[in-house]
């Protein structure tokens, strides 16, 4: 998902934040997902998906598959049937809970035997309880009939009417916790499942989904007549089974879309991958087809090479969705973009073009970070969102050198991150989450804006080669699976030959940020002492102690005379020994290149010069 969703909610009192911060720091090992243990018995169902329920199911359920059939020919209701297949551990134990908040529940059969009586007694509006007595050891199949809402907003299937020609379009929006509004499922990110979908639509509609069309043509399906007369003549689109997906990443769209497909070789020696652009029929003439397909294709190629993992989903569809509430959504093999940000009614500005490119690169990066490897629980939301934003900037800097990508990265991320992180209402990057229905509260500037900034710091700390090697090892180790921030740091730490656990505790679990004050003493035209003094922006929130921070310090003499010194800040006061005795510079800046995450307060000598001559500084990012 992009940075357009902002649901950050500051905590009201510094004392409350301090208590929370201390609890997180002191009990991180117990709370962090890598260390959680499942309850001994099935937790109470309750509202949403609790962390305890998710932990229990992750330990007792495996091998999940969904065979999902949906009829979307009615205006406000989808008629569905799902077969949920899974393996069940400790079969003599508890019932199994499926999550479901749809419109209605119909017949239920377990392993081919229909459950007698009114099945609504097994459904509390949030979960469907499958009795333990009806299941067997090992593999089980549960068949359920259901209905789900279709609406212009607030539903898992969004209906959008084109005011130009009256055409109607459907698309799903399940992130972060609405898959169970669509169909009965295990709606948690660490129970990935293979999905086989068939979709019945009005005749003449086209449909896309995560999986490829079963007959190889993205717009075609077998035509069948409906039996009840409630719908017009219809056709059914069948899609092949997907790779393992988290439920919030399941997606489809249907309507009279205009489709353009190009085959692209995105990995050396690899088979061509079909890349398809889907747009509304009424706006097809406005779409920059070659530009958009080319931009997505270049991103797939570059990322596959950088990650050392070729694009893993076989085909790549991207949809320009009308009235889409986000900049984009990264469904594997079926990315949805905000139509208004990708089709311009007037000549676009450079900022609009760079923003469209950054959004594209962000969502394509998610195909690896978020889709191929997914966070175990939404407390690690930053892991996918921060990484997608950071990789988008890396890619933009490589593919579009004239874009000044790191300047854009700074402007899009650092000011809003600092403005939030310097307040008493800030949170850690890893944000404890007790229930999936609260996941939207974890979105905000700390996840979307601070996280990419600390990843840039980590990259600079360990070095780009070690960073890349660690990321590649992480992806290989957790392919089509789930992981946590500890897994990522362990991989990068091993590649760099250093223990990053302390770094993680400070940057991932500790709320707040450092302020770094430059202190410069000059005598007889030479630097006598240059010190960097670090303090927390909010001591009552962050507690005492320095953050580990590697920066690049700049001594500026003129546009042709610059000295750069790497500096590692590990204590409250760091004296830059390498600066002593050097000629006094025009100004000093302790975060040249923007590798560090900190508010830098220049010394008085530097401020005096910059107030008069900052216009002479040629470097855009530095200036």
């Amino acid at each position: 998902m992009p940075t357009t969703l902002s649901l950050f909610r500051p905590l009201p009192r510094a004392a409350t934040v301090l208590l929370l911060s201390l609890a997180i720091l002191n009990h991180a090992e117990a709370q962090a997902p890598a260390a959680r243990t499942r309850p001994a018995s099935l937790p109470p169902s309750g509202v949403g998906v609790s962390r305890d329920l998710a932990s229990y199911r992750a330990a007792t359920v495996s091998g999940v598959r969904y065979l999902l059939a949906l009829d979307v020919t009615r205006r406000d209701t989808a008629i569905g049937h799902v077969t949920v297949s899974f393996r069940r551990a400790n079969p003599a134990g508890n019932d199994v809970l499926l999550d479901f908040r749809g419109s209605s529940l119909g017949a239920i059969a377990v392993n081919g035997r229909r459950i007698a009586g009114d099945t609504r007694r097994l459904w509390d509006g949030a979960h469907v309880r499958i009795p333990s007595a009806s299941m067997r050891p090992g593999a089980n199949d549960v068949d359920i009939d259901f209905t789900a809402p279709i609406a212009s907003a607030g539903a898992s299937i969004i209906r959008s009417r084109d005011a130009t020609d009256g055409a109607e379009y459907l698309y799903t929006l399940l992130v972060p916790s609405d898959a169970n509004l669509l169909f009965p499922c295990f709606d948690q990110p660490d129970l990935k499942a293979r999905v086989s979908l068939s979709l019945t639509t009005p005749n003449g509609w086209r449909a896309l989904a995560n999986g490829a069309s079963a007959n190889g043509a993205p717009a075609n399906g077998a035509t069948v007549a409906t039996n009840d007369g409630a719908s017009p003549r219809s056709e059914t689109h069948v899609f092949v089974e997907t790779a393992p997906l988290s439920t919030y990443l399941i997606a489809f769209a249907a309507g009279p879309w205009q489709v353009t497909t190009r085959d692209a070789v995105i990995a050396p020696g690899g088979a061509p991958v079909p890349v398809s652009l889907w747009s509304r029929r009424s706006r097809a003439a406005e779409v920059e087809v070659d530009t958009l397909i080319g931009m997505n294709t270049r991103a797939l190629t570059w990322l596959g090479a950088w990650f050392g993992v070729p694009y893993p989903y076989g085909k790549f569809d991207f949809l320009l969705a009308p009235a889409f509430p986000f900049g984009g959504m990264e469904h594997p093999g079926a990315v949805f973009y905000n139509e208004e940000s990708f089709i311009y009614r007037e000549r676009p500005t450079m900022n609009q073009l760079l923003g469209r490119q950054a959004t594209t690169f962000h969502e394509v990066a998610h195909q690896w970070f978020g889709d191929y490897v997914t966070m175990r629980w939404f407390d690690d939301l930053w892991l996918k969102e921060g990484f997608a934003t950071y990789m988008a900037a890396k890619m933009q800097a490589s593919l579009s050198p004239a874009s000044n990508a790191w300047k854009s990265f700074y402007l899009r991320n650092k000011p809003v991150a600092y403005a939030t992180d310097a307040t008493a209402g800030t949170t850690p990057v890893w944000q404890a989450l007790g229930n999936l229905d609260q996941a939207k509260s974890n979105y905000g500037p700390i996840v979307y804006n601070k996280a990419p900034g600390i990843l840039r710091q980590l990259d600079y700390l360990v070095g780009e080669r070690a960073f890349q090697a660690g990321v590649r090892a992480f992806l290989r180790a957790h392919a089509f699976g789930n992981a946590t921030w500890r897994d990522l740091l362990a991989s990068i730490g091993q590649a760099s030959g250093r223990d990053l656990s302390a770094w993680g505790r400070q940057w991932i679990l500790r709320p707040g940020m450092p302020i770094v004050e430059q202190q410069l003493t000059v005598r007889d035209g030479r630097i006598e002492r240059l010190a960097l003094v670090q303090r927390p922006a909010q001591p009552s929130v962050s507690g005492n102690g320095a953050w580990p921070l590697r920066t690049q310090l700049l001594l500026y003499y003129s546009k042709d005379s610059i000295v750069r010194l790497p500096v590692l800040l590990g204590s409250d006061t760091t004296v830059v020994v390498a600066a002593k005795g050097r000629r006094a510079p025009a100004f000093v800046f302790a975060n040249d290149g923007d590798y560090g995450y900190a508010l830098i307060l220049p010394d008085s000598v530097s401020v005096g010069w910059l107030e008069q001559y900052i216009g002479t500084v040629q470097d855009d990012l530095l200036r």
Side-chain angles (χ1 to χ4, degrees):
M1 290 174 66
T3 57
T4 54
L5 178 61
S6 181
L7 295 171
F8 174 70
R9 299 188 297 194
L11 297 175
R13 298 182 61 186
T16 303
V17 178
L18 177 58
L19 290 175
L20 175 61
S21 305
L22 293 174
I24 290 173
L25 286 171
N26 292 336
H27 302 290
E29 295 297 329
Q31 293 187 12
R36 73 187 190 204
T37 58
R38 71 175 175 90
S41 59
L42 181 67
S45 55
V47 176
V49 179
S50 70
R51 190 187 187 114
D52 284 345
L53 175 59
S55 298
Y56 182 84
R57 292 195 304 203
T60 58
V61 172
S62 62
V64 181
R65 275 181 158 86
Y66 300 116
L67 181 60
L68 178 61
L70 288 166
D71 181 331
V72 294
T73 57
R74 292 160 179 79
R75 180 168 182 79
D76 60 0
T77 301
I79 310 299
H81 178 90
V82 65
T83 301
V84 185
S85 301
F86 58 93
R87 295 190 64 84
R88 175 175 172 247
N90 70 329
N94 299 291
D95 300 341
V96 167
L97 291 183
L98 292 167
D99 312 315
F100 183 58
R101 295 184 290 115
S103 301
S104 68
L105 190 74
I108 300 176
V110 181
N111 298 320
R113 298 186 63 178
R114 182 166 176 168
I115 295 179
D118 187 352
T119 56
R120 287 177 296 180
R121 73 184 190 281
L122 302 174
W123 182 43
D124 63 5
H127 305 280
V128 181
R129 183 175 294 272
I130 308 302
S132 178
S134 65
M135 291 179 285
R136 61 195 177 199
N140 288 268
D141 294 326
V142 177
D143 286 271
I144 303 178
D145 293 329
F146 63 92
T147 64
I150 301 174
S152 59
S156 55
I157 304 176
I158 303 299
R159 179 185 293 277
S160 177
R161 184 180 184 277
D162 191 325
T164 303
D165 61 8
E168 293 196 327
Y169 297 87
L170 303 181
Y171 57 82
T172 53
L173 188 58
L174 308 186
V175 67
S177 56
D178 284 345
N180 69 86
L181 185 58
L182 177 62
F183 72 104
C185 59
F186 298 110
D187 198 4
Q188 59 189 77
D190 59 347
L191 276 180
K192 286 190 168 184
R194 296 183 182 273
V195 181
S196 299
L197 174 68
S198 64
L199 190 66
T200 299
T201 71
N203 198 26
W205 278 21
R206 294 175 169 180
L208 68 86
N210 304 103
S213 172
N215 63 6
N220 295 336
T223 301
V224 297
T226 58
N227 298 320
D228 58 10
S231 304
R233 187 170 177 83
S234 62
E235 57 184 321
T236 298
H237 309 263
V238 180
F239 301 91
V240 300
E241 186 177 67
T242 68
L245 306 179
S246 295
T247 45
Y248 77 90
L249 294 170
I250 296 170
F252 67 80
W257 305 99
Q258 181 79 29
V259 185
T260 302
T261 301
R262 306 269 171 80
D263 286 341
V265 177
I266 60 177
V273 172
V275 178
S276 299
L277 187 160
W278 297 64
S279 62
R280 274 194 291 165
R281 190 171 52 197
S282 67
R283 302 203 68 183
E286 303 172 71
V287 179
E288 300 168 78
V289 174
D290 292 339
T291 297
L292 296 183
I293 290 180
M295 191 156 53
N296 281 271
T297 299
R298 286 193 300 276
L300 291 166
T301 303
W302 190 93
L303 285 162
W306 197 93
F307 286 133
V309 176
Y311 174 67
Y313 295 108
K315 61 92 178 175
F316 184 84
D317 293 332
F318 64 99
L319 174 82
L320 307 185
F324 198 65
F326 310 125
M329 181 58 206
E330 69 267 19
H331 318 107
V335 171
F336 295 176
Y337 294 121
N338 183 302
E339 180 189 78
E340 285 302 311
S341 299
F342 277 67
I343 304 176
Y344 303 121
R345 299 182 186 275
E346 299 176 351
R347 183 183 295 275
T349 66
M350 181 58 67
N351 278 343
Q352 285 177 304
L353 292 171
L354 290 176
R356 182 174 70 175
Q357 186 182 65
T359 298
T360 299
F361 290 175
H362 176 105
E363 302 305 335
V364 176
H366 270 312
Q367 301 297 298
W368 286 264
F369 248 88
D371 298 356
Y372 186 65
V373 179
T374 310
M375 75 269 162
R376 185 180 295 174
W377 188 241
F378 270 88
D379 47 20
D380 259 333
L381 177 65
W382 78 275
L383 190 62
K384 72 183 188 75
E385 294 302 339
F387 225 98
T389 296
Y390 183 55
M391 290 307 302
K394 269 186 170 290
M395 192 176 356
Q396 196 167 43
S398 175
L399 294 177
S400 305
S403 67
N404 210 341
W406 293 117
K407 175 185 172 184
S408 296
F409 176 85
Y410 170 82
L411 291 172
R412 291 176 186 275
N413 291 289
K414 293 297 187 68
V416 66
Y418 292 162
T420 300
D421 217 15
T423 70
T426 191
T427 67
V429 170
W430 182 87
Q431 299 178 35
L433 183 72
N435 196 298
L436 190 62
D437 71 353
Q438 302 161 4
K440 291 178 182 178
S441 67
N442 277 20
Y443 290 81
I446 298 302
V447 161
Y448 277 97
N449 305 100
K450 177 179 180 176
I454 65 171
L455 284 169
R456 181 158 168 79
Q457 164 62 188
L458 178 60
D459 193 345
Y460 185 63
L461 174 68
V462 302
E464 187 169 7
R465 291 183 64 181
F467 183 80
Q468 183 181 32
V471 170
R472 288 181 168 188
F474 172 81
L475 290 172
R476 288 193 302 269
H478 303 284
F480 295 110
N482 300 83
T484 73
W485 67 269
R486 297 179 187 277
D487 298 317
L488 176 66
L489 290 193
S491 291
I492 295 175
Q494 184 173 10
S496 62
R498 64 173 73 206
D499 182 357
L500 293 173
S501 56
W503 187 94
R505 286 193 296 272
Q506 293 295 321
W507 285 110
I508 309 301
L509 298 179
R510 183 183 182 188
M513 63 172 296
I515 293 175
V516 176
E517 180 183 354
Q518 299 174 182
Q519 295 182 352
L520 175 66
T521 303
V522 174
R523 187 182 298 276
D524 299 328
R526 298 281 173 178
I527 297 176
E528 182 175 74
R529 185 177 185 269
L530 175 57
L532 304 178
V533 180
Q534 186 183 151
R535 57 182 170 83
Q538 291 286 344
S540 63
V541 172
S542 305
N544 296 318
W547 281 265
L549 187 64
R550 186 173 189 247
T551 68
Q552 182 170 265
L553 183 138
L554 178 140
L555 304 177
Y556 185 94
Y557 297 95
S558 69
K559 65 180 182 180
D560 300 317
S561 180
I562 294 172
V563 174
R564 291 182 168 91
L565 303 172
V567 179
L568 187 63
L569 287 73
S571 59
D572 292 341
T573 300
T574 301
V575 177
V576 185
V577 177
K580 185 174 183 178
R582 292 182 181 269
R583 183 163 54 94
F587 74 87
V588 176
F589 185 58
N591 195 18
D592 178 54
D594 192 39
Y595 298 112
Y597 181 86
L599 282 172
I600 306 298
L601 302 182
D603 56 277
S604 57
V605 172
S606 297
V607 170
W609 189 91
L610 288 167
E611 284 178 338
Q612 298 183 63
Y613 304 112
I614 192 170
T616 66
V617 177
Q618 300 294 307
D619 185 292
D620 285 350
L621 173 58
L622 177 62
R623 187 174 62 247

